[in-house]
Amino acid sequence: MNCIEEYITLHATQQPDKEAVICGEEILTYAELDRRIDARCAELCSQGFSAGQVVCIRAESSTAFLTTYFALHRIGCIAAPLERDIPDEAFATIEAELSRHSCPPGTADVLYTTGTTGRSKGVMISADTILADAENLIAGQGFTPDLTFVINGPLNHIGSLSKVYPNILLGATIIIVDGLKDLDRFFSAFDLRDTRYATFLVPASIRILIQFSAARLASLADKIDFIETGAAAIAESDMQALCQLLPSSRLYNTYASTETGIIATYDWNNGECTSGCLGTPMPNSQVFITADGLIACKGRTLMTGYIGDPQRTASILRDATIYTSDIGSIDSHGRLHLKGREDDIINVGGFKVAPTEVEEAALTHPAVKDCICTAVPHKISGQALRLIVVLNDGCTLDKRSIALHLRQKLEAFKVPALYETAEAIRRTFNGKLDRKSYRQK
């Protein structure tokens, strides 16, 4: 098979009545999905779309989006899924920009890494990379044909979109849920079929479920085969809490990005709940650590490049290797460990501090619900650490208590000098801490 769409046709022939996609009241079998894709292909061709053309589409959480996405591939177009709520003017601007550039043969998608405004980057993904990502996930996490996978995140980003690939390749069933705004709808998805389930949740979503729906999540312990997380660091306290709620489920922390594809994964519910561990590379990927301590990736899952930006492409993609800004290490078992991002490191009087380490320690304090560690100017040390915390209900800020708690877990230079409270911590679209918005000039 040369592309993921060929598997849809295969399953439509071999198991036509198997449920492929469920979204709300709509159920598409593989035969119906294949038929709708063909019909959409005819519509697109009649509208003048042709092979090699980059086509922007809004990434709705719907069967219509998937049908159009697959149809674009089938007629040789390149799909550029954008945020579903992107303003019309911004949509038109990106559409005009993409029309000025061509993509290498075999390109299937252009995915944007940081939304669709500002200095976002359009990453070119090949059809072979999509298959390689699917194969990696199947091998690394044990996807099976009888699995039902609940997709609840935006389908214009690799976190959720990549989960479509292994399920389609194997002929499994996908349930599309529109985020976690309606928790009842999310949980009801796990009652639609009498199978084992899996899902992908960013760390922020996992924390929401632990804090507000722990009992409901625990009630699914016998149904959930595995949960995957990624896109941001997950706190060790959340990892341990999820292990207690789902003692027999596999819980994966995955190293992946739009540029690198799906690289490595680690089941932290295997008796060794190690924070920052991302497991061993999957079959189509290799990793190594550079002399500067940064993670570099090789293999079939890498991007082709940034569309229309060869200079930026060359800055990270050289000799078929992606050189990331992630600080990492590889242990004696060949497992990758993530320590933070190079541009997030804070220099405090000559000592380098990874803010993620401070945040993880702070989250173990009983009063702290959420937090972010940032840098502020300091006359003597150049920079000092500031911890902004969201407190649990009924708690008041006790700076001394938090500082003493951190001193028991961290070296003295890693303990923040300043403490503030906030109603919420700002995050990006995929749940990552929005560190840039907190940086002081």
Side-chain angles (χ1 to χ4, degrees), residues 301-316:
T301 66
L302 305 187
M303 71 170 184
T304 305
Y306 296 120
I307 188 167
D309 199 339
Q311 184 175 357
R312 181 178 283 184
T313 298
S315 70
I316 72 165

Side-chain angles (χ1 to χ4, degrees), residues 237-316:
S237 57
D238 290 341
M239 294 168 67
Q240 293 173 344
L242 205 57
C243 288
Q244 294 174 357
L245 293 172
L246 303 172
S248 60
S249 302
R250 289 172 283 128
L251 304 174
Y252 289 106
N253 194 11
T254 297
Y255 184 68
S257 71
T258 314
E259 290 91 341
T260 65
I262 314 297
I263 298 294
T265 197
Y266 166 70
D267 177 11
W268 78 77
N269 201 12
N270 64 354
E272 186 183 348
C273 186
T274 304
S275 177
C277 185
L278 297 161
T280 56
M282 301 184 215
N284 293 315
S285 304
Q286 305 92 46
V287 297
F288 65 93
I289 307 301
T290 69
D292 297 325
L294 302 178
I295 298 171
C297 305
K298 299 174 71 70
R300 286 174 54 204
T301 66
L302 305 187
M303 71 170 184
T304 305
Y306 296 120
I307 188 167
D309 199 339
Q311 184 175 357
R312 181 178 283 184
T313 298
S315 70
I316 72 165

Side-chain angles (χ1 to χ4, degrees), residues 118-285:
R119 291 178 56 81
S120 56
K121 297 166 287 189
V123 178
M124 294 181 289
I125 306 296
S126 72
D128 183 64
T129 285
I130 288 175
L131 289 177
D133 281 334
E135 292 166 4
N136 270 3
L137 286 166
I138 291 167
Q141 297 178 352
F143 282 74
T144 59
D146 59 353
L147 186 71
T148 299
F149 200 99
V150 178
I151 293 179
N152 64 88
L155 288 166
N156 55 309
H157 299 298
I158 191 171
S160 292
L161 185 59
S162 66
K163 305 311 170 293
V164 172
Y165 309 150
N167 288 292
I168 290 296
L169 190 152
L170 291 172
T173 301
I174 297 167
I175 297 177
I176 299 176
V177 179
D178 191 10
L180 293 184
K181 295 178 182 178
D182 186 340
L183 286 177
D184 288 336
R185 178 164 293 185
F186 171 76
F187 281 107
S188 67
F190 294 85
D191 292 325
L192 293 178
R193 305 183 79 247
D194 186 20
T195 62
R196 294 282 284 175
Y197 283 83
T199 192
F200 172 84
L201 297 165
V202 296
S205 295
I206 289 176
R207 180 164 299 162
I208 288 172
L209 293 177
I210 291 173
Q211 291 179 344
F212 300 107
S213 302
R216 296 180 74 177
L217 190 59
S219 70
L220 300 176
D222 293 334
K223 291 185 176 182
I224 294 180
D225 188 10
F226 67 87
I227 292 177
E228 181 195 11
T229 192
I234 180 170
E236 184 175 359
S237 57
D238 290 341
M239 294 168 67
Q240 293 173 344
L242 205 57
C243 288
Q244 294 174 357
L245 293 172
L246 303 172
S248 60
S249 302
R250 289 172 283 128
L251 304 174
Y252 289 106
N253 194 11
T254 297
Y255 184 68
S257 71
T258 314
E259 290 91 341
T260 65
I262 314 297
I263 298 294
T265 197
Y266 166 70
D267 177 11
W268 78 77
N269 201 12
N270 64 354
E272 186 183 348
C273 186
T274 304
S275 177
C277 185
L278 297 161
T280 56
M282 301 184 215
N284 293 315
S285 304

